[in-house]
Amino acid sequence: MKAKYLLFAVLLITIASAVGVAAGESTKPYEVIQWNSPKPIGERIGGSTYVLPDGWKEAVAGVKRIKVSNFGALKHDPATVQNAKKFEELTGINVQVLAWAEAPIVAKTVSIFAAKSPAVDVFCYDHPTTYTQMVAGGWLHPIDAIWNDPGAWELYAGPLKEGLKAPDGHIYGSIGQTKTMMLYYRPSIVPKPPETWVELRDMAKKATTPKVWGYVYSAGGEMDIIYPLRDMVYSQGGRIVDVERQRIVIDSPEGRNAWKMLAEMVLVDKSAPASVLEYSWMGVADLFGMGKAAMIMTHTVDANRYQDPKKAPGIQGDWAVTSPPKWDGTKPDSYHASYFDVDGYMINTFINDRQKAAAMLFVDFMRSYEASYRELIVEGNEAAVISVYDHPDASKIPVPKARQAAMKNAVLETFPPAGRMLTDVLMEYFANVIGGKMELMEGLEKCQQVLDDYAVPE
Amino acid sequence: MIEKIFGSRALPYTTAIILLGLMMLPMYWTTVTAFKPDEETYVFPPVYFPHNPTIEPFRLLFEDYPFGSYLRNSIVVTLTTTLIVTAIGVLAGYGLSQFKFRWADTLLWILIFTRIIPPLSLLLPFYLLISWLGLVDSLASMILANIYLTYPFAVLIMKSFFDSFPRDLIDAAVVDGCSRTGALVKIVIPVSATAIASAAIITYLWTWNEFIYAFVFTSTPSAQPVTVGCFDAIGDIFVNWNQMCAGSLTAALPGIIFVFVAQRYLVRGLAAGALKF
Amino acid sequence: MRLSNPWYGFLLNLPGLVIVLLWVLFPAFLLVCWSFLRHDNINPVTFAGLGNYVALFEHRLFWLSFGKVAVFCVGTTALTLFGGMALALSMVKITRGSWFFRSLMILPWAVPAVVSGIIWKWMFSPDFGVISDLLIKIGLISEPLSIYGNFDLAMVGVIVADSWTRIPFMAIILLAALLSVSPELYEAAKVDGAGSLSRFASITLPLIKGPAMVGLLITTMFSFRTIDIIIPLTAGGPGRATYVFGYYIWDQIIKTLNFGVAAAAGMFLFFMTSLIAAVFVYISKRET
């Protein structure tokens, strides 16, 4: 008799604990984290020291490592390396940063998704050109939870909130690094920098010699041609993405002006080389560093490189930065604009739930004041958190105020899905014009036609 | 007149010197640039012989990039693949040639067929297979891919060679009491050393030089071979061309050394019978 | 002894066969399947019948890349044949220092194609390139050359670079063939009074035709589907100047991310290479 009762009791306890465990498991590990405590998100990540959210420890119990992809070699991203180390100190989770070459990054990312593989936890991605595509693929883990505080949005530049929202209303991406472009020039060749593109074109003509090009821009790849086109279009107050129709529009008054000026700088003025068809945005920055260009537009982070005599042998002591030009004198000053670049982080939906919790924690940390501080001061990227520019250390970096202003004016546009395919068309037709295979406006009109013909996904 | 030119003794040497001179220009230029300091690299007109040669580019190459890992990966993958492919290729070629079983020809055609399918076409499906097996970013994935790429040709070479192999040697050995396997090991292999060597050399070179599959299958220096390493480096910010040339030289060197050492086997092996298609 | 023969041979083949069939059959099967699926990583995956193939043939870039690869293939094969033949003919007669000459001849083949692309990119550099300088020094041009500003030059550039990597292989095959021509044939012809050129035409050419065809077949097939050297050198550019068919497939996989069309294009490439092989086999069968 006693034995029967004992058995029954044991059975009952077993069933009860099983149910208990199952009930416990129905809450996902990442839902255990309370992002808004001990302080609201905005204060928690916006203070000079990052504070971990409550519940993080049990959420990530057992996670030893997360893998995060990175644009390019780590030696160019000292801030990322330091931030990763700090994260490991805080949480005990090792961050393995994968240095992926730029060209195949999207392909590698997508092939991991296509294989539904958990090989990488967090992916870096270029927000303007690939966000909508990644979301459309259904591969991303939503991270609305970490943005659940109005105070959080206020830390960053205005365009970010709308930019991070996907068409379905959820948020799937977060900030890694932000950048914009500014005008670099050689004071010895161009004593007073141009305020407008129209002025710049004239100055470039005068500055061109057999050894130095007046102005150099990139048109080599689909990711390169959009820089000069976008900047010139924004400088006129225009846009190149028609959000309603999910199209790229180059055949607009602003687009035509930009197209014409860029092509004529090569074909008519001879102030830019035909080799722009090969240059990437990195190649253009290299050329300036070697002293072969009088003026270029490039990322603010290149200021660090130009200070280094090993990396910029041709221009030591002879380079300066100013804000991006506006189109001409008739435009308002807010059109001193370049593009707002977000290199973001997105989380793989195919990893297990504990890894997701760890990944969300990492992403939370990387957008904090502390992480942004390192981005600005250690690496010379822009700081995503605007208040970092007011920190006394900010005066150590070149032209902090001009950069802050440029970030305020910068324009964020998100491309439709297959964005890179569309910009590829821009690259092709622009090359046809420069290569003499098509007339100037014929190239533009044909290009727009091909862009419009592209099937819009349902 | 024509006879004087075409029949002259000097013509072959002159032609060879001119042609080879042109063909060697890229190698010369790469070598020279690899030893130039930065100031002598980025000048036009270019400097044809460095005034201040230095090994800085090599040092920086290994410092800035995990080139040592790249080399190690290439060596491991190439040696493993070559060993495996040569071993089973010799066996298979011998089997196809000496044993007239019914599907011998079909088998050979299937093997050749697998090489007519362009590797590029199979890239993506292959990648899926690799990731299902959890072999992404591993040396094993590249070894497997390279075995697929090189095995058929190795078998082809060995089979052609064995086809023209004097059977009396084998038969004599068998009469003396050797088994078929024994004949293979004791008689055939030693005599076919040249053909085996040429199969091994071709396998080695093709594997060392493989790029596309390695590029897609690997993502970290723990598995990337030297071909991918070089390519990644030129996509990087600020390409140091002298370092790149140092890297290119390092990447090409094992193949070059191999060729110098093994060249005579290659020509002889091919001539001996590989061409009797 | 005889009883065990056929099976023994089959057994010897087994390991290699298993590996190759596993590694090839399964992906090949996937390739065929994918070519009939709509798999563009934007919309859900559905059956598309011949949709991908239709899209392929309607695609402007498809025809463009096909045209480019035709030019590229013909150019490379021709230059390779010419260079390989010239080298092989010279090597056959060279007795002193032959080891050294032959090693140099094979050298470019030892360089990975992608590394060759990098080397040639540096040589063709519009700002610091040695090719520009040499051409200026010879007096052919007056300003530095940029293959990146001129569509035709770009094609010439990739043809030259690719041929550079293929000439050694062709030269070796031709050399091996030439070496197996017995010298008595030449002696006899000389005695009969035949001059160098006629000896070449009536003895050499016919005898090396077989291996030459093999070399041509391989060169044509491989150059038709190659992208290894184009990726670093011009990336299909400038614009689409060197956008060969292989590059079209590469883009579909890496840029466009349309795996269905990529698979269809892959099937088409396979079809084309089979066609090339079939043509060559037919021609050589007709000769014998």
Side-chain angles (χ1 to χ4, degrees):
Chain A
M1 274 283 273
K2 264 219 169 133
K4 234 208 284 197
Y5 281 126
L6 200 58
L7 197 60
F8 186 63
V10 166
L11 213 59
L12 206 63
I13 294 175
T14 319
I15 295 176
S17 30
V19 170
V21 164
E25 283 299 289
S26 67
T27 314
K28 308 236 183 221
Y30 51 84
E31 289 167 359
V32 165
I33 305 182
Q34 295 153 49
W35 301 101
N36 272 308
S37 56
K39 292 191 249 187
I41 299 178
E43 289 172 40
R44 190 173 54 72
I45 66 174
S48 51
T49 323
Y50 172 77
V51 174
L52 284 160
D54 287 339
W56 73 271
K57 229 188 197 147
E58 48 167 310
V60 305
V63 174
K64 297 229 173 52
R65 186 175 64 167
I66 55 171
K67 291 195 186 159
V68 179
S69 69
N70 191 60
F71 284 108
L74 290 180
K75 66 174 176 149
H76 300 303
D77 291 318
T80 311
V81 174
Q82 282 192 17
N83 280 329
K85 271 216 191 81
K86 183 65 201 277
F87 182 77
E88 186 170 353
E89 280 174 30
L90 286 173
T91 62
I93 301 174
N94 171 254
V95 177
Q96 190 186 356
V97 183
L98 308 171
W100 284 359
E102 180 130 352
I105 263 193
V106 179
K108 285 213 155 106
T109 307
V110 171
S111 41
I112 291 187
F113 285 145
K116 296 201 170 53
S117 155
V120 176
D121 303 275
V122 179
F123 291 95
C124 66
Y125 72 103
D126 177 76
H127 188 89
T129 58
T130 55
Y131 187 57
T132 42
Q133 180 150 12
M134 296 297 171
V135 170
W139 307 307
L140 306 179
H141 172 65
I143 54 176
D144 308 69
I146 70 171
W147 287 102
N148 196 8
D149 172 28
W153 294 114
E154 281 162 27
L155 295 172
Y156 309 97
L160 192 68
K161 185 169 184 184
E162 276 312 302
L164 282 187
K165 257 203 210 120
D168 65 0
H170 290 287
I171 300 177
Y172 297 92
S174 179
I175 288 193
Q177 294 83 33
T178 55
K179 307 198 274 289
T180 187
M181 285 194 171
M182 298 181 74
L183 183 67
Y184 284 73
Y185 64 100
R186 311 274 307 281
S188 63
I189 305 177
V190 180
K192 182 176 166 315
E195 289 266 318
T196 69
W197 283 106
V198 174
E199 267 179 35
L200 185 143
R201 184 178 175 174
D202 269 335
M203 289 193 185
K205 248 191 284 197
K206 299 199 186 95
T208 307
T209 70
K211 293 223 161 238
V212 176
W213 294 102
Y215 183 71
V216 180
Y217 58 90
S218 60
E222 82 283 8
M223 289 299 287
D224 306 297
I225 181 63
I226 44 172
Y227 295 121
L229 280 177
R230 268 193 302 204
D231 289 350
M232 284 190 176
V233 167
Y234 296 161
S235 76
Q236 301 168 65
R239 296 288 182 266
I240 69 170
V241 177
D242 178 340
V243 184
E244 291 245 324
R245 295 188 308 142
Q246 286 286 289
R247 293 252 191 270
I248 294 202
V249 176
I250 191 69
D251 194 353
S252 60
E254 297 91 3
R256 288 181 157 241
N257 286 340
W259 186 271
K260 184 162 181 293
M261 182 180 286
L262 286 171
E264 287 181 352
M265 277 203 230
V266 175
L267 297 171
V268 175
D269 302 352
K270 312 270 188 217
S271 53
S275 316
V276 292
L277 292 184
E278 193 260 326
Y279 296 145
S280 65
W281 61 268
M282 295 184 277
V284 168
D286 287 352
L287 224 56
F288 185 78
M290 291 188 247
K292 297 211 72 173
M295 294 182 282
I296 61 164
M297 285 277 286
T298 190
H299 293 114
T300 38
V301 64
D302 281 320
N304 283 27
R305 179 219 302 209
Y306 295 145
Q307 285 175 327
D308 183 343
K310 290 228 87 210
K311 298 211 179 109
I315 59 172
Q316 286 306 298
D318 182 23
W319 63 275
V321 189
T322 185
S323 50
K326 56 184 183 183
W327 184 253
D328 61 25
T330 69
K331 307 290 181 212
D333 279 348
S334 59
Y335 288 359
H336 276 288
S338 171
Y339 81 114
F340 185 96
D341 187 21
V342 176
D343 283 342
Y345 288 117
M346 53 188 184
I347 300 181
N348 186 348
T349 198
F350 302 111
I351 58 180
N352 73 45
D353 293 338
R354 289 205 182 275
Q355 298 285 135
K356 280 182 183 163
M360 288 174 81
L361 210 58
F362 175 75
V363 157
D364 181 55
F365 173 70
M366 291 304 276
R367 62 183 177 154
S368 66
Y369 183 100
E370 199 186 317
S372 287
Y373 174 86
R374 290 197 187 90
E375 287 289 336
L376 183 69
I377 306 297
V378 171
E379 195 170 316
N381 269 332
E382 295 320 312
V385 175
I386 301 281
S387 48
V388 174
Y389 287 101
D390 300 321
H391 193 283
D393 284 345
S395 53
K396 289 193 215 146
I397 57 159
V399 296
K401 288 300 165 200
R403 288 158 77 155
Q404 200 179 30
M407 287 295 281
K408 284 224 190 89
N409 289 334
V411 178
L412 175 61
E413 281 192 291
T414 318
F415 287 29
R420 292 173 84 131
M421 224 161 50
L422 298 170
T423 52
D424 208 23
V425 176
L426 285 172
M427 184 269 297
E428 177 185 355
Y429 280 90
F430 189 74
N432 284 344
V433 168
I434 300 277
K437 300 284 182 192
M438 282 186 187
E439 293 302 314
L440 189 65
M441 284 307 154
E442 177 199 351
L444 181 130
E445 280 154 20
K446 284 226 172 85
C447 180
Q448 186 65 61
Q449 216 170 3
V450 175
L451 287 171
D452 288 339
D453 281 345
Y454 244 103
V456 182
E458 293 98 57
Chain B
M1 230 326 251
I2 296 187
E3 193 51 40
K4 264 234 164 99
I5 301 179
F6 281 100
S8 78
R9 277 232 138 109
L11 185 67
Y13 287 88
T14 330
T15 326
I17 290 178
I18 296 180
L19 284 177
L20 285 178
L22 283 176
M23 300 263 295
M24 288 302 111
L25 176 68
M27 297 315 300
Y28 173 76
W29 186 238
T30 308
T31 316
V32 151
T33 310
F35 290 97
K36 280 185 193 165
D38 284 348
E39 317 84 68
E40 294 188 36
T41 315
Y42 298 103
V43 288
F44 192 81
V47 169
Y48 284 90
F49 198 82
H51 307 300
N52 296 316
T54 162
I55 59 165
E56 267 300 280
F58 286 91
R59 194 183 66 78
L60 287 172
L61 180 78
F62 280 85
E63 196 177 273
D64 288 342
Y65 302 98
F67 228 76
S69 306
Y70 296 145
L71 278 176
R72 177 205 66 204
N73 295 334
S74 277
I75 292 176
V76 170
V77 170
T78 306
L79 283 182
T80 318
T81 309
T82 308
L83 275 167
I84 296 180
V85 166
T86 315
I88 58 179
V90 167
L91 291 177
Y94 189 66
L96 279 179
S97 156
Q98 300 294 325
F99 300 87
K100 297 300 173 209
F101 59 99
R102 258 200 320 184
W103 306 295
D105 272 338
T106 334
L107 227 57
L108 191 62
W109 275 110
I110 292 181
L111 281 180
I112 298 184
F113 186 76
T114 65
R115 279 311 264 129
I116 298 190
I117 307 177
L120 187 58
S121 305
L122 291 181
L123 182 60
L124 212 49
F126 231 119
Y127 182 74
L128 215 66
L129 185 63
I130 296 281
S131 68
W132 281 343
L133 290 174
L135 288 177
V136 177
D137 200 36
S138 72
L139 294 176
S141 63
M142 282 186 292
I143 293 178
L144 288 165
N146 280 300
I147 290 181
Y148 143 62
L149 288 171
T150 54
Y151 177 70
F153 199 63
V155 172
L156 200 62
I157 293 183
M158 295 317 303
K159 174 182 183 299
S160 306
F161 179 77
F162 286 133
D163 276 346
S164 55
F165 195 82
R167 292 204 71 144
D168 357 334
L169 271 180
I170 303 181
D171 291 339
V174 165
V175 163
D176 278 350
C178 264
S179 68
R180 285 259 165 201
T181 333
L184 176 65
V185 170
K186 287 198 206 127
I187 307 287
V188 179
I189 288 185
V191 176
S192 341
T194 357
I196 297 181
S198 55
I201 291 168
I202 294 184
T203 307
Y204 180 91
L205 282 180
W206 275 1
T207 310
W208 184 271
N209 295 354
E210 206 285 313
F211 171 67
I212 298 278
Y213 278 82
F215 187 62
V216 172
F217 290 178
T218 63
S219 42
T220 65
S222 65
Q224 285 169 328
V226 89
T227 44
V228 179
C230 281
F231 181 68
D232 272 0
I234 66 162
D236 208 13
I237 300 177
F238 200 60
V239 183
N240 290 84
W241 278 106
N242 44 356
Q243 283 179 32
M244 276 319 305
C245 285
S248 302
L249 210 58
T250 320
L253 211 57
I256 294 178
I257 294 178
F258 209 78
V259 149
F260 267 84
V261 162
Q263 164 255 111
R264 71 190 74 202
Y265 296 112
L266 200 56
V267 179
R268 256 194 260 155
L270 283 177
L275 294 180
K276 310 272 166 52
F277 289 100
Chain C
M1 227 160 29
R2 280 193 120 226
L3 289 166
S4 62
N5 279 352
W7 290 110
Y8 195 59
F10 186 69
L11 216 68
L12 284 178
N13 269 280
L14 210 55
L17 212 60
V18 163
I19 292 182
V20 169
L21 287 186
L22 264 184
W23 284 112
V24 177
L25 273 196
F26 187 56
F29 178 67
L30 274 182
L31 178 71
V32 175
C33 287
W34 272 356
S35 69
F36 295 113
L37 290 179
R38 180 195 206 180
H39 191 349
D40 55 7
N41 290 306
I42 296 179
N43 302 298
V45 179
T46 56
F47 183 70
L50 290 175
N52 287 325
Y53 291 93
V54 170
L56 204 65
F57 291 119
E58 285 182 349
H59 199 182
R60 185 184 56 93
L61 280 181
F62 170 78
W63 293 109
L64 188 150
S65 66
F66 193 70
K68 294 292 178 190
V69 80
V71 172
F72 176 73
C73 192
V74 168
T76 304
T77 310
L79 191 56
T80 306
L81 181 64
F82 179 71
M85 183 72 91
L87 271 178
L89 286 173
S90 313
M91 288 300 165
V92 143
K93 300 261 182 64
I94 289 180
T95 44
R96 290 198 296 184
S98 73
W99 173 84
F100 181 68
F101 279 103
R102 290 185 192 182
S103 303
L104 283 190
M105 180 179 86
I106 306 188
L107 207 91
W109 192 37
V111 179
V114 80
V115 173
S116 303
I118 295 176
I119 291 179
W120 280 94
K121 188 181 173 80
W122 176 230
M123 301 222 312
F124 278 126
S125 160
D127 307 294
F128 308 108
V130 69
I131 302 265
S132 288
D133 192 48
L134 286 176
L135 289 178
I136 292 179
K137 286 197 160 79
I138 303 182
L140 276 175
I141 55 176
S142 54
E143 275 184 353
L145 184 85
S146 170
I147 65 168
Y148 300 110
N150 182 317
F151 286 20
D152 300 317
L153 277 185
M155 181 57 91
V156 170
V158 294
I159 288 181
V160 166
D162 201 45
S163 304
W164 183 77
T165 59
R166 299 198 191 280
I167 285 178
F169 183 70
M170 180 69 94
I172 292 188
I173 290 197
L174 291 175
L175 181 62
L178 284 171
L179 284 176
S180 57
V181 174
S182 125
E184 287 120 25
L185 287 173
Y186 291 116
E187 292 304 322
K190 240 193 247 174
V191 164
D192 282 348
S196 293
L197 276 185
S198 86
R199 285 204 302 271
F200 177 73
S202 51
I203 301 180
T204 320
L205 271 186
L207 284 177
I208 62 168
K209 210 171 237 177
M213 288 301 273
V214 171
L216 271 180
L217 169 64
I218 294 185
T219 307
T220 311
M221 249 176 44
F222 281 22
S223 66
F224 191 81
R225 58 198 205 191
T226 191
I227 52 170
D228 282 44
I229 210 166
I230 297 186
I231 295 181
L233 187 52
T234 60
R240 303 274 185 228
T242 55
Y243 198 69
V244 295
F245 190 66
Y247 216 91
Y248 175 74
I249 299 183
W250 179 249
D251 258 4
Q252 290 299 316
I253 297 177
I254 284 211
K255 232 187 254 177
T256 315
L257 307 170
N258 190 328
F259 295 170
V261 168
M267 294 291 293
F268 183 76
L269 183 65
F270 168 53
F271 170 71
M272 284 307 298
T273 37
S274 312
L275 196 66
I276 293 177
V279 165
F280 269 90
V281 167
Y282 176 70
I283 292 182
S284 44
K285 279 242 153 70
R286 242 175 26 132
E287 301 283 321
T288 51

